[in-house]
Amino acid sequence: MKFTIRKKLVCMDINNIKMVGIDQSIPIEIREKVSFNRDIADVLQELKNDGLDEIVILSTCHRSEVYFYSESIGLEEIKKFYVEHFKLEDDFKHYLYGISGIKVVEHIFRVACGLESMVVGEDQILGQVKDALNISQINKASGKILNKLFRDAITLGKKARTDTGIKNFSSSISHIAVKFIQDVFKDIKGKKAFVIGTGEMGEIAIKNLIAKGVNVCVSNRTHSRAQNLKEEIPEIDVVPYEDKYEQIAKSDIVISATNAPHYTVCYDRFINVYDGKRICMVDIALPRDIDPKIAEIDGVSLYTIDDLRKTAEENRKKRIDVIKDIEKMIFDKKAEFNDWFKTIKIEPYIKKVNIYSHNICDIEFERLVNKLEGATERDKENIRISLKRVADKMSNMMISHIKKDVLMNDDISFNEDRREENI
């Protein structure tokens, strides 16, 4: 049986794995313009129709990234897609970064491990990476390569948090928001807080505020969700969503964390009920929940996710040794993925080897049992099992040598910069 491997390997190229996006390094007023919300399924279908082989979209409060595999479609085309989809000016493209190949592998591994988050090691991003893959799979947009890449990222993210102990002292944006508010007021015990939104971020903020002795009221557009949360956290008071402006005006602290695509707290509605008391408002949503004009009102301090950066950076400095350990894990996993990618090129040949060995096994079995007289069915089955074991061992040896040959002769250096700006 003849195998002609060498000249067919070139059709698979790891540089066809690509990513275009925007992250927390860009100001929030820019990020919120390219946030994929409820339309991800439609966008996945649109990109598939445009010819991308595989796509996963990761959209969070800190990043908006399109991961894709394509031989023919490049980074510039997806940058153009961002501009057209979100109806932006063409010069917006300079905010977008594009990377390809092993750099994409390293990037998503760092993202899943929490190293690219504002709050290093935070857990929410791991769930968001899982959700991104799940949505893509449901919509039949991802395939063998991105499924493997994202599953490896998720597995590594879990392992990094467990093995390095970062999960024991990691926090989230909601934790940082409460700490930030505490720094503003010095003492928040007994203060009145109002949290808008009962999703994961809102719930974390609520629990942290209660732990610090704050009186917490909660509101959610879907009232039943707020009522359900009260069953879990009886200390909270539930406020009807339509009464939120009156409640904001009575509060010392306001945290808004909804996933609405527009402002949920508008300047005109708020100014009509505001009586001049001091209020600290923290908007941890993206797109933003609270109209930025509210920051112009005397007595109101309004902060966004980006204002929490200094507190988050102090948090990162305390974890520098753990970060180095995680980066070593990422380097090893990156090499492992690269080896896997090289070997998928020869899967057709591996399949041929296995088929060939099984066919030989069947032929030899039939030839042998036809010569045996008085052999029981159990004897025949034992012979079949033995022949299969021999065939598997020989084919596995051949496959091992094929893989070794590919890995030794098709190497890629990892000593490149991770990101190429403005490609």
Side-chain angles (χ1 to χ4, degrees), residues 236-372:
I236 65 174
D237 292 318
V238 176
V239 175
Y241 193 74
E242 58 270 20
D243 296 336
K244 67 177 182 286
Y245 287 98
E246 290 76 10
Q247 187 61 44
I248 292 171
K250 293 188 292 186
S251 301
D252 303 300
I253 299 162
V254 176
I255 297 178
S256 194
T258 80
N259 62 356
H262 49 70
Y263 296 144
T264 57
V265 181
C266 300
Y267 176 87
D268 293 338
R269 293 281 305 277
F270 174 68
I271 197 68
N272 287 334
V273 298
Y274 180 58
D275 63 2
K277 71 170 294 184
R278 183 189 184 195
I279 304 177
C280 177
M281 305 177 78
V282 182
D283 186 346
I284 55 175
L286 191 122
R288 285 174 288 181
D289 280 344
I290 303 174
D291 188 335
K293 283 179 63 180
I294 290 175
E296 300 170 6
I297 301 172
D298 289 340
V300 178
S301 301
L302 173 59
Y303 304 97
T304 68
I305 291 173
D306 288 0
D307 294 310
L308 309 180
R309 196 175 299 278
K310 181 179 178 182
T311 304
E313 188 57 34
E314 292 171 0
N315 179 68
R316 176 179 288 270
K317 289 176 182 177
K318 296 175 183 176
R319 290 150 174 74
I320 192 68
D321 291 337
V322 176
I323 291 172
K324 290 179 181 177
D325 292 339
I326 294 175
E327 286 177 335
K328 174 62 168 61
M329 295 171 69
I330 290 170
F331 185 87
D332 293 342
K333 194 67 175 177
K334 183 176 61 171
E336 184 182 311
F337 181 87
N338 187 55
D339 286 349
W340 171 83
F341 189 87
K342 291 175 185 176
T343 60
I344 65 172
K345 305 171 185 179
I346 57 170
E347 283 185 353
Y349 308 101
I350 292 174
K351 187 176 181 179
K352 286 183 180 180
V353 169
N354 286 324
I355 291 172
Y356 181 73
S357 67
H358 291 157
N359 287 341
I360 292 296
C361 178
D362 291 340
I363 291 168
E364 290 303 310
F365 172 76
E366 293 298 330
R367 185 184 67 79
L368 180 58
V369 296
N370 287 336
K371 293 182 179 181
L372 294 175

Side-chain angles (χ1 to χ4, degrees), residues 194-199 218-227 229 238-242 244 257-259:
F194 182 39
V195 178
I196 307 170
T198 57
V218 175
S219 188
N220 194 73
R221 184 179 293 276
T222 305
H223 191 67
S224 60
R225 289 191 61 180
Q227 292 287 10
L229 186 60
V238 176
V239 175
Y241 193 74
E242 58 270 20
K244 67 177 182 286
T258 80
N259 62 356

Side-chain angles (χ1 to χ4, degrees), residues 14-81:
I14 198 167
N15 290 307
N16 291 330
I17 303 175
K18 304 163 190 173
M19 188 273 288
V20 169
I22 197 167
D23 69 6
Q24 62 167 324
S25 64
I26 305 302
I28 191 169
E29 59 269 20
I30 303 298
R31 296 202 308 273
E32 65 186 358
K33 292 180 180 179
V34 291
S35 176
F36 295 101
N37 288 306
R38 297 177 179 86
D39 63 342
I40 287 182
D42 294 335
V43 174
L44 288 170
Q45 188 57 54
E46 182 181 348
L47 289 170
K48 283 209 73 174
N49 293 341
D50 287 343
L52 296 185
D53 299 322
E54 301 184 27
I55 320 109
V56 177
I57 294 175
L58 179 60
S59 185
T60 74
C61 60
H62 288 311
R63 64 188 63 253
S64 172
E65 297 176 334
V66 175
Y67 295 78
F68 62 104
Y69 185 88
S70 176
E71 292 183 19
S72 58
I73 296 176
L75 303 175
E76 282 301 323
E77 286 95 328
I78 303 304
K79 288 184 180 182
K80 184 178 178 182
F81 165 80

Side-chain angles (χ1 to χ4, degrees), residues 163-188:
D163 290 4
T164 66
I166 197 170
K167 70 173 187 177
N168 297 326
F169 51 86
S170 65
S171 55
S172 67
I173 288 294
S174 300
H175 283 97
I176 296 292
V178 174
K179 186 177 186 304
F180 187 86
I181 292 166
Q182 196 167 20
D183 291 341
V184 170
F185 280 102
K186 307 306 179 186
D187 182 12
I188 60 174

Side-chain angles (χ1 to χ4, degrees), residues 129-150:
V129 171
K130 288 181 189 175
D131 290 343
L133 177 59
N134 187 47
I135 292 169
S136 185
Q137 289 176 323
I138 289 172
N139 288 278
K140 297 180 171 52
S142 62
K144 181 170 189 166
I145 294 168
L146 292 189
N147 284 345
K148 167 71 173 173
L149 177 60
F150 272 71

